[in-house]
Amino acid sequence: MTLTEKPGTAGTADAVVPDSAAAALGRERSSAGFVVRRFLRHRMAVAGLVIVALMVLTAALAPLLAPHDPNQIFGSFEAAPSADHLLGTDAVGRDVLSRLIYGARVSMSVGVGAVAVYVLIGVLFGLLAGYYGRWVDSVIMRITDVFMSFPYFMVILILVSILGPSLLTIIVVIGFLAWPMIARLVRGSVLSIKQTDYVQAGVALGYSTPRILFRHILPNALSPIIVNATFGVAQAIILESGLSFLGMGVRPPAASWGNMLSEAQSITVLSSQPWIWIPPGLMILLAVLSINFVGDGLRDSLESRSYT
Amino acid sequence: MTTTEPLLQVRNLKKYYPIRKGVIARTVGQVRAVDDVSFDVHPGETLGIVGESGCGKSTTGRAILRLETPTAGSVIFEGTDIATLSAGTMRRRRTDLQMVFQDPYSSLNPQIRIGDLLAEPLIAHHRLKRAAAQARAAEIIQVVGLPRLYLNRYPHELSGGQRQRVGIARALMLEPKLIVCDEPVSALDVSIQAQVLNLLKDLQGEFGLTYVFISHGLGAIKYISDRIVVMYLGKVMEVATTQEIFTAPRHPYTEILLDAYPEANPHLRDRPRIIVEGDVPSPAKPPAGCVFHTRCPSAQAICTTEIPRLSTDAHPVACHFPLLASKNGKVES
Amino acid sequence: MGSYLIRRLLIGIPVLIGVTLINFLIINLAPGSPADLYLTPTSTSADVVRVEAELGLDQPIFVQYFHWLVRLFHGDLGVSFQNRAPVTELLAERLGPTLLLMGTSLVVAYLIAVPIGILAARKKNSPTDYTVVGAAFLGISVPHFFLGLVLIYVFALELGWLPTGNMITLGRGGGFADRVNHLILPVAVLATATAANMTRYVRSSMIDAFGQDYIRTAKAKGLGLSTITNKHALRNALIPVVTVIGIDLSALIGGAIVTEQIFQWPGIGLLTIQSIGARDYSVLMGINLIAAVAVFGANLLTDIAYAVVDPRVAYA
């Protein structure tokens, strides 16, 4: 990877200089057990993983865990926490805890969904650019330049407002905008991996290009993709909650941590009903922080160089 | 040796790399890695290619296998010019030509078990089921002297010599006719080198293989080759049988190369040495005339202007003043 | 170096064209047509055809793109659907507050990140270092809007020290102290993520630099840690820091949108939100184009700065 390539725009959480290509080269590769052992040494990463796992579980089992229907309206609105409503009720009279639990579904599905879309696109373009080089590479790289020139939050905001705010729109829009950084990452890895003797051996053995790309190059370029995708999940969760906060994301009555927070734009809610906005805010922070720690642990255990 | 039809004919092979510069990356020069190289390889023989690093021997080997696209020239294998075959046709043809790489640490995909590495060529080319391909891999791995249980190991669990055996086994899987060995023992410990060379020799007898054996080490070349091509700065200097090269070299460069080769017989160590001055010129700016004239002890005026052609006799040499067969420095004492 | 510079600029041309093209395509994707501005509810379909012909909307899309591009070069970004003012005027009005907010945040982030990053690197694996790393992680993980709400809650509502929003106190404000007071909270929100990000960069590149042979040589020569830090390591550690500024402009713009909304800061970000509410796509596209050109410019400058700091780049 040359120095002129910058780490991805959308991956602001991912700050450390990525030097993944070198790690992916034919050097003695750490076996799965070794990676797990190194990961387990990171207490914060392990704690993060546990929290993320609990959140995924909460999202999956929301109907069983939630004390109430998240959309059921109770007589007492803006009620302070009580035995019946552990986190009180919101401005419309819905149970905040139940909405919080259902909100995990939105965050987890945006995180995983959007990242899955852009990793797929990014890997494909990155493989093509890196392997074929020449004009294919130039064209794809210029396209990534164009995409990376747009301030992503603003473009997402505008596109979502044109297409109509919804969970699916957010996933698709983030998915189609955030792929360039993955493409650049993969391209960089491919450029160095395709020079290795084992890829040359594949050519000499008469393997087809798809076989070489997907069986011999991609598996060796996976580490940086995994790390980047992990940070991307955190990033997508922040984006969704931000959009929902601004009313351009998941729309009420559906519950999302972001749209729960937007109620705090009223001074009354902000000053005297903290049970309405502090829990969803903390959940977003906890989710993003945990995933970032997991990503950091993964970077350290999957790649040779690490600092944090 | 000349009675049979050659298995491989390399004709006027050239590989130039452009040097690009400036805003629009226009070509301002060329590195002549391989410059007008021709030779034949006969069925069942081992042709050694020897020369210092940067002489183009590896590029020649890679161009034969189309791992590099030749700039010009032809590579005729069994009557077909494979340098101009379409990509798809070439891919199928690759079953006949294989390669053993220099570095056994980087030539095996670190993420794939040995068994799958060996089975993959059969699955890719002959659409064998994994089990059938694995069974064949189990046979071949024993042929190269490794136990079957290694099939379940990853490359990094093997030593360098063992990995090179895997590399050789992989090249054998498709039952090729020709194997290009690109410095196959240079990266190995000296004690292992002989074992691998012997393995290659044994396999040649067993499978009727033809080798192009590329090395900068005269020891390995002398041990395994039937005939030798000496290269310098992208050009062929001399082609002859191993016996002739080592006893009666005709090119001054060959003589110098042999002179630098440590002599095993202590009684012969006192012979006068030839001292060569200067470095190998850059292949981006090869000297005019004979490329070797800048370092040649017997260079004359003509050598600086006229490129010597490879002679067409039984012992081809590219020199205006070839050494006489009777008078060579090697056996004088 | 010179030819690298020219090549890098030439590469920028198709990218810039791509940026304008995509921007134009999004305008066409958006509901609402420029013709709507000249039509009233009583207009007949003949009127629609006439107005569309006058505006060139009946021509093929690439001809329209070309005309749009020509107008763009004359500084014409179109007219707001909402209040019929030229988009450039609206933007000019809002640019100042946004630049003030982002510029101050960047400076503050820099002033915090560089010393703290160096400190953490020098005390690698100490409690200090762990605290810095942990705080940096918190900083990159906290969403702007949540941090903003918490700060307003604590400093404006509970303690009453600072105003909840706006750029000046309405009615009687406008003095220097008043402006600074209004600037503190939004800057704190916007600078947090940037500072956290930059701290991690500075720390890791300093650690990297400390590990280099030339630093060990400097130590062996008996140079003090401060001299080494200032003279040798810092300069090399600047390279990745240059990048952060390039990357961060995009993130900074995103952060500014949310921050300006929370603090009702009258800048481009607030205009964005207001225009989205009013579905005023001509204004949005103007903002988007300006922002994209700014990010494009920042990326370009980053690459060039890279080449200046590290000459090897130009030969890569």
Side-chain angles (χ1 to χ4, degrees):
Chain A
M1 204 172 307
T2 66
L3 283 167
T4 42
E5 284 173 19
K6 295 175 291 291
T9 338
T12 43
D14 172 19
V16 176
V17 193
D19 180 44
S20 28
L25 289 178
R27 194 183 310 157
E28 294 239 355
R29 236 198 81 91
S30 28
S31 60
F34 181 73
V35 172
V36 172
R37 273 197 304 282
R38 277 188 69 159
F39 184 83
L40 289 177
R41 278 211 318 249
H42 289 254
R43 271 171 295 171
M44 296 312 280
V46 174
L49 191 62
V50 170
I51 292 173
V52 172
L54 286 176
M55 283 186 175
V56 170
L57 218 60
T58 307
L61 302 176
L64 298 176
L65 294 173
H68 300 284
D69 180 333
N71 295 327
Q72 189 186 343
I73 293 167
F74 294 88
S76 51
F77 48 89
E78 296 180 355
S82 63
D84 197 28
H85 302 287
L86 286 175
L87 290 174
T89 60
D90 66 6
V92 192
R94 295 168 297 200
D95 182 55
V96 172
L97 178 61
S98 302
R99 293 184 71 71
L100 206 58
I101 290 171
Y102 273 86
R105 292 192 151 184
V106 170
S107 292
M108 295 302 128
S109 44
V110 166
V112 175
V115 170
V117 173
Y118 79 68
V119 166
L120 217 65
I121 302 174
V123 164
L124 200 68
F125 278 115
L127 283 175
L128 292 177
Y131 191 75
Y132 286 106
R134 295 163 182 270
W135 66 269
V136 180
D137 184 31
S138 305
V139 169
I140 293 178
M141 282 305 101
R142 291 302 78 76
I143 295 174
T144 65
D145 282 344
V146 171
F147 271 77
M148 290 171 101
S149 290
F150 284 105
Y152 59 94
F153 189 72
M154 183 172 284
V155 180
I156 292 172
L157 203 57
I158 293 171
L159 283 176
V160 168
S161 95
I162 291 174
L163 298 173
S166 79
L167 186 60
L168 187 68
T169 315
I170 295 178
I171 292 176
V172 169
V173 168
I174 297 177
F176 278 89
L177 284 177
W179 61 267
M181 57 162 174
I182 294 280
R184 289 186 161 216
L185 207 62
V186 172
R187 169 186 177 265
S189 303
V190 172
L191 280 181
S192 52
I193 293 173
K194 81 170 178 184
Q195 298 299 329
T196 59
D197 281 351
Y198 62 83
V199 170
Q200 294 295 311
V203 175
L205 284 159
Y207 294 163
S208 62
T209 305
R211 176 178 283 274
I212 291 173
L213 280 178
F214 291 103
R215 190 165 157 78
H216 294 277
I217 293 181
L218 186 57
N220 286 293
L222 227 44
S223 301
I225 301 174
I226 292 172
V227 172
N228 205 287
T230 309
F231 288 120
V233 171
Q235 202 63 27
I237 290 176
I238 291 198
L239 283 173
E240 180 277 325
S241 60
L243 290 168
S244 296
F245 175 78
L246 294 173
M248 281 293 134
V250 175
R251 283 271 173 92
S256 131
W257 294 339
N259 69 28
M260 291 172 77
L261 258 167
S262 65
E263 288 188 33
Q265 292 194 64
S266 120
I267 294 282
T268 343
V269 174
L270 187 61
S271 61
S272 49
Q273 286 142 12
W275 64 85
I276 289 179
W277 64 273
I278 289 185
L282 287 179
M283 289 308 285
I284 298 168
L285 178 57
L286 193 64
V288 172
L289 194 60
S290 303
I291 295 168
N292 279 339
F293 275 127
V294 171
D296 197 50
L298 281 175
R299 173 165 49 212
D300 196 41
S301 44
L302 286 172
E303 298 177 11
S304 59
R305 275 175 31 164
S306 175
Y307 312 104
T308 7
Chain B
M1 211 54 87
T2 46
T3 49
T4 52
E5 183 75 6
L7 181 68
L8 177 78
Q9 294 165 285
V10 175
R11 288 289 172 271
N12 309 102
L13 188 69
K14 291 179 184 174
K15 179 65 191 176
Y16 294 174
Y17 296 98
I19 306 167
R20 294 182 196 282
K21 235 184 188 162
V23 177
I24 48 164
R26 75 201 139 84
T27 308
V28 293
Q30 287 165 325
V31 175
R32 301 181 174 195
V34 177
D35 197 8
D36 207 4
V37 164
S38 301
F39 56 80
D40 289 349
V41 186
H42 301 283
E45 78 165 341
T46 298
L47 180 80
I49 302 181
V50 72
E52 295 162 284
S53 58
C55 73
K57 57 189 190 300
S58 281
T59 310
T60 304
R62 296 168 59 83
I64 291 173
L65 291 174
R66 277 273 292 273
L67 293 178
E68 303 276 358
T69 315
T71 308
S74 45
V75 178
I76 300 158
F77 181 77
E78 291 186 320
T80 317
D81 185 1
I82 57 172
T84 55
L85 287 182
S86 74
T89 317
M90 182 62 204
R91 191 154 65 228
R92 284 185 288 279
R93 199 68 216 258
R94 286 186 183 282
T95 52
D96 284 339
L97 303 105
Q98 278 305 308
M99 180 150 183
V100 173
F101 289 84
Q102 172 175 9
D103 184 0
Y105 289 88
S106 67
S107 62
L108 304 178
N109 186 335
Q111 304 225 1
I112 300 182
R113 288 174 203 270
I114 307 300
D116 289 320
L117 275 173
L118 295 182
E120 193 174 7
L122 296 179
I123 296 169
H125 279 282
H126 304 318
R127 307 207 174 280
L128 251 59
K129 290 270 177 287
R130 185 162 178 263
Q134 289 266 7
R136 178 75 183 137
E139 288 169 29
I140 294 288
I141 199 167
Q142 286 169 310
V143 169
V144 299
L146 292 176
R148 292 177 63 144
L149 62 100
Y150 277 27
L151 290 174
N152 283 320
R153 299 209 174 161
Y154 284 97
H156 67 86
E157 296 174 281
L158 272 56
S159 73
Q162 289 170 336
R163 288 184 195 205
Q164 197 56 297
R165 286 172 189 268
V166 173
I168 293 167
R170 180 176 58 183
L172 290 176
M173 289 305 293
L174 293 170
E175 296 168 25
K177 292 171 181 156
L178 177 82
I179 298 182
V180 175
C181 304
D182 186 7
E183 307 248 12
V185 297
S186 317
L188 304 177
D189 289 348
V190 179
S191 55
I192 308 294
Q193 288 186 359
Q195 293 176 16
V196 172
L197 288 175
N198 282 330
L199 174 66
L200 286 169
K201 269 196 163 181
D202 294 345
L203 294 172
Q204 184 167 40
E206 197 173 337
F207 296 94
L209 296 167
T210 305
Y211 290 141
V212 171
F213 189 98
I214 297 161
S215 179
H216 67 274
L218 280 166
I221 284 277
K222 185 180 182 183
Y223 184 72
I224 202 160
S225 307
D226 299 311
R227 289 190 307 131
I228 294 171
V229 172
V230 179
M231 285 185 68
Y232 180 80
L233 222 61
K235 286 186 174 291
V236 173
M237 296 289 107
E238 181 170 11
V239 184
T241 63
T242 306
Q243 165 82 15
E244 285 172 317
I245 289 282
F246 278 86
T247 57
R250 291 186 69 195
H251 199 286
Y253 176 63
T254 312
E255 190 183 31
I256 288 165
L257 209 59
L258 294 176
D259 197 58
Y261 175 55
E263 183 54 68
N265 183 346
H267 298 294
L268 298 179
R269 282 184 189 160
D270 296 332
R271 74 207 138 88
R273 295 206 154 254
I274 309 167
I275 307 296
V276 193
E277 282 169 17
D279 292 323
V280 182
S282 160
K285 281 181 193 163
C290 173
V291 287
F292 188 59
H293 83 256
T294 54
R295 300 168 78 199
C296 183
S298 43
Q300 308 282 323
I302 186 175
C303 299
T304 63
T305 53
E306 201 165 309
I307 301 173
R309 303 209 146 272
L310 198 63
S311 63
T312 48
D313 51 0
H315 183 156
V317 61
C319 182
H320 294 296
F321 306 99
L323 306 170
L324 296 173
S326 55
K327 171 202 160 217
N328 64 73
K330 193 72 182 172
V331 281
E332 235 166 54
S333 53
Chain C
M1 184 70 204
S3 83
Y4 168 79
L5 207 70
I6 295 168
R7 202 165 61 227
R8 186 64 191 78
L9 288 172
L10 285 180
I11 286 173
I13 293 173
V15 174
L16 208 52
I17 292 174
V19 167
T20 58
L21 186 65
I22 287 195
N23 208 54
F24 178 76
L25 290 178
I26 299 178
I27 302 181
N28 275 274
L29 190 70
S33 151
D36 295 351
L37 282 175
Y38 303 93
L39 297 170
T40 58
T42 55
S43 301
T44 61
S45 55
D47 290 335
V48 175
V49 171
R50 183 180 48 79
V51 169
E52 285 190 342
E54 275 173 18
L55 295 173
L57 296 175
D58 54 344
Q59 284 167 346
I61 188 131
F62 57 88
V63 176
Q64 291 188 42
Y65 168 67
F66 182 73
H67 287 307
W68 177 79
L69 210 57
V70 169
R71 286 199 300 276
L72 195 67
F73 272 104
H74 290 89
D76 179 4
L77 280 170
V79 175
S80 160
F81 290 174
Q82 197 187 355
N83 52 19
R84 312 213 163 180
V87 172
T88 37
E89 260 175 43
L90 288 170
L91 287 178
E93 207 173 280
R94 302 294 194 102
L95 198 60
T98 294
L99 288 181
L100 175 69
L101 179 62
M102 297 203 326
T104 315
S105 302
L106 209 56
V107 171
V108 168
Y110 222 156
L111 290 179
I112 293 171
V114 172
I116 289 187
I118 292 173
L119 180 76
R122 279 171 61 165
K123 303 194 170 189
K124 192 187 165 194
N125 294 333
S126 71
T128 315
D129 181 33
Y130 290 139
T131 313
V132 169
V133 170
F137 259 96
L138 204 61
I140 58 167
S141 300
V142 63
H144 289 93
F145 50 91
F146 185 53
L147 181 62
L149 293 176
V150 169
L151 292 182
I152 292 177
Y153 180 64
V154 174
F155 293 100
L157 299 177
E158 291 295 311
L159 298 171
W161 292 351
L162 293 164
T164 56
N166 243 312
M167 220 164 92
I168 48 171
T169 311
L170 291 173
R172 57 181 178 76
F176 181 72
D178 186 52
R179 284 172 185 271
V180 170
N181 265 342
H182 282 82
L183 199 55
I184 293 174
L185 288 185
V187 164
V189 170
L190 203 50
T192 298
T194 311
N197 216 354
M198 218 181 267
T199 304
R200 283 164 26 108
Y201 252 102
V202 173
R203 175 183 173 272
S204 59
S205 46
M206 286 301 282
I207 288 175
D208 205 24
F210 281 141
Q212 301 288 323
D213 285 344
Y214 64 89
I215 299 293
R216 281 212 296 274
T217 309
K219 272 186 199 160
K221 284 196 306 192
L223 293 181
L225 198 54
S226 303
T227 318
I228 293 171
T229 309
N230 296 336
K231 280 202 165 170
H232 297 267
L234 188 57
R235 206 172 47 197
N236 290 279
L238 278 177
I239 298 174
V241 174
V242 169
T243 325
V244 186
I245 297 173
I247 297 167
D248 254 31
L249 186 60
S250 179
L252 212 57
I253 292 172
I257 295 175
V258 177
T259 309
E260 290 187 8
Q261 161 69 11
I262 293 171
F263 291 96
Q264 292 297 301
W265 187 265
I268 300 270
L270 194 60
L271 180 65
T272 307
I273 301 289
Q274 289 163 344
S275 305
I276 282 193
R279 303 195 150 253
D280 194 341
Y281 291 106
S282 57
V283 174
L284 286 175
M285 285 351 289
I287 297 174
N288 196 34
L289 188 67
I290 298 285
V293 171
V295 174
F296 166 83
N299 287 343
L300 192 69
L301 283 178
T302 308
D303 277 1
I304 292 169
Y306 243 148
V308 173
V309 181
D310 183 354
R312 284 172 305 176
V313 173
Y315 296 98

